[in-house]
Amino acid sequence: MTIFGTRPEAVKMAPLALELARRDGLQALCCVTAQHREMLDSVLEIFGLRPDYDLNIMQPRQTLSAITSRCLTGMDGVLEEAKPDLVLVHGDTSTTFAGALAAFYHKIPVGHVEAGLRTYDDYSPFPEEMNRKMVSAIAGLHFCPTPANRDNLARENVHEGVFLTGNTVIDALRTTVKDGFRFGETVLNGLDYGKRKVILVTCHRRENYGQPMANIMTALRRVADAFPETELVYPVHLSPVVQEAAHKYLDGHPRIHLIAPLAVDEMHNLMARCHFVMTDSGGLQEEAPALGKPVLVLRRETERPEAVEAGTVSLAGVEEEAIFQKAAGLLTDAGLYERMAKAVNPYGDGQACRRIADAVEWHFGLRAQPPQPFAAG
């Protein structure tokens, strides 16, 4: 059984759920919590995935405690009925932690997809860092995207059941990015991606609420003011806190486009056409390098240092001046831009789902050998 509840989880788990369903020796079940409702549903539709169970837990201005408790109690009935032999959770959300904990309470083994990411700061990203550490303590199978993730687990004395797979988001991009794609959002069809420098922006993390988000928004407006060749496109997260900040600082600028959250295929195709990405998202740090797009990370640290080391991602922080200078560098220094755009993506080759499904089959004795590990480069 795969369990997920947010849009980013769905993007990365949908291709895996479909791969598992193709395996003759496995019965693949899917449970969604709908921690994100609308954004989750659009991903399910794009991938043609129909959940077997839907907890539908989302409520307005939901707290972390409420999300976790509703997931945990909702999973009781699902696990009692389905009695899966293995539960797969993804990454670091409240759904991930609650799903793993519920499986543990039912004495069901847990596999952790996208295992081993760490910042070693329990409050950044919050609550994700602690969620993934607690899932690592519960899980018996660990599917690590990169060697650095595997090494993090080794330092925590986790050596058994560890597989190096690449990241499933690269598998997803092979499905979603298409030539001649037409956007449902009209403004995106009207942009001249050849002559204009379109900057894709996302900003939504809880640890950026307050002054960090104000700094980020101010820097974005400065970029638009200083560089008339730019167009900033910001699909604004549905969080009321994020909505209020975005409209307070960015409304009224003719080249800043505040739009509704995009479906995953629209986001991926916009990313493929943009000049570079400014984001506090984790997933975009993995997706953009696969499309040859530089990324400025709007956070103090990242649990994805591989792309920083490879040179395709740069940590911009959350201070206005530093963010502005980083963006200005990419807009004025052609050599810097080329080096970041052409760096090798360390996150995958589009075969992560196959490796994970092979590892699951091997775990159950359906395959003679474990999968060959992913090798970046």
Side-chain angles (χ1 to χ4, degrees), residues 140-159:
L141 299 176
H142 309 264
F143 304 109
C144 299
T146 72
N149 305 148
R150 178 193 58 197
D151 294 346
N152 288 341
L153 292 180
R155 281 191 290 271
E156 297 167 14
N157 205 32
V158 178
H159 302 283

Side-chain angles (χ1 to χ4, degrees), residues 177-340:
V177 176
K178 299 173 183 175
D179 292 335
F181 183 85
R182 294 292 294 174
F183 295 95
E185 176 65 55
T186 305
V187 68
L188 300 182
N189 291 320
L191 295 176
D192 189 334
Y193 298 95
K195 294 182 179 179
R196 310 293 288 172
K197 291 183 176 179
V198 177
I199 302 172
L200 170 59
V201 176
T202 75
C203 180
H204 70 278
R205 284 199 176 272
R206 288 175 182 264
E207 69 264 26
N208 279 341
Y209 285 6
Q211 191 60 47
M213 193 164 286
N215 296 343
I216 291 167
M217 302 298 174
T218 304
L220 293 173
R221 194 168 188 109
R222 279 184 64 189
V223 170
D225 286 338
F227 298 95
E229 73 275 22
T230 61
E231 303 270 355
L232 275 64
V233 178
Y234 181 3
V236 185
H237 195 278
L238 296 176
S239 159
V241 175
V242 178
Q243 289 276 336
E244 289 163 12
H247 289 286
K248 176 180 178 181
Y249 290 96
L250 301 177
D251 265 350
H253 197 290
R255 286 180 289 103
I256 298 178
H257 309 284
L258 302 181
I259 62 175
L262 294 172
V264 61
D265 56 344
E266 295 201 302
M267 178 63 90
H268 286 173
N269 281 279
L270 175 58
M271 203 183 315
R273 290 158 177 77
C274 77
H275 191 57
F276 65 86
V277 176
M278 300 176 71
T279 184
D280 64 359
S281 164
L284 267 65
Q285 296 176 52
E286 300 153 347
E287 295 163 352
L291 298 169
K293 305 301 177 179
V295 181
L296 298 181
V297 178
L298 306 173
R299 291 167 59 183
R300 294 186 177 91
E301 71 284 289
T302 178
E303 63 275 54
R304 292 167 172 86
E306 300 88 353
V308 176
E309 293 163 9
T312 191
V313 164
S314 179
L315 204 58
V318 294
E319 300 300 329
E320 176 190 339
E321 186 63 26
I323 295 168
F324 176 79
Q325 292 298 335
K326 289 277 189 178
L330 278 175
L331 290 165
T332 58
D333 186 337
L336 171 64
Y337 181 88
E338 284 299 306
R339 288 192 300 275
M340 291 186 70

Side-chain angles (χ1 to χ4, degrees), residues 30 43 47 67 99-100 148 184 190 194 196 210 239 257 297 323 354-355 359:
C30 176
V43 178
F47 283 92
I67 293 169
R196 310 293 288 172
S239 159
H257 309 284
V297 178
I323 295 168
R354 176 186 60 78
R355 291 189 187 95

